[in-house]
Amino acid sequence: MIKDGHPKFHANPSSPATGIFEVTPSDVSDLPWVTTGISAATPGTVRVTAADGSDSDVVVTPGQVFPLRVTRIWASGTTATGIRGLT
């Protein structure tokens, strides 16, 4: 069993991610969790709904984490692929 050196670590919005999930962009469904960041395998645009309800396009670069709390990643307007949500 792997031991966690920080068992009493309390997560907050600026904490490092503790989980990663694959994102399937959708124009009708929200993500299963609000993210603390997103990343993508290819460069491009990602259309998002932020945690405050605003919609916007963000440009992502592969290998970089874009620190943004989002509730939805839209299929329409998203050109990046291999998107991952960090929680």
Side-chain angles (χ1 to χ4, degrees):
M1 173 176 259
I2 297 174
K3 293 187 179 189
D4 185 346
H6 304 282
K8 295 182 182 179
F9 175 76
H10 295 287
N12 64 59
S14 63
S15 299
T18 57
I20 302 170
F21 63 97
E22 186 174 336
V23 172
T24 301
S26 172
D27 291 344
V28 295
S29 298
D30 288 335
L31 298 172
W33 298 278
V34 176
T35 66
T36 57
I38 59 173
S39 68
T42 64
T45 301
V46 180
R47 179 95 176 140
V48 302
T49 298
D52 70 358
S54 61
D55 296 331
S56 185
D57 293 333
V58 294
V59 177
V60 296
T61 303
Q64 301 294 314
V65 173
F66 194 90
L68 187 62
R69 294 178 51 80
V70 302
T71 59
R72 180 178 293 180
I73 295 182
W74 294 80
S76 299
T78 295
T79 61
T81 61
I83 301 170
R84 300 287 187 266
L86 289 74
T87 61

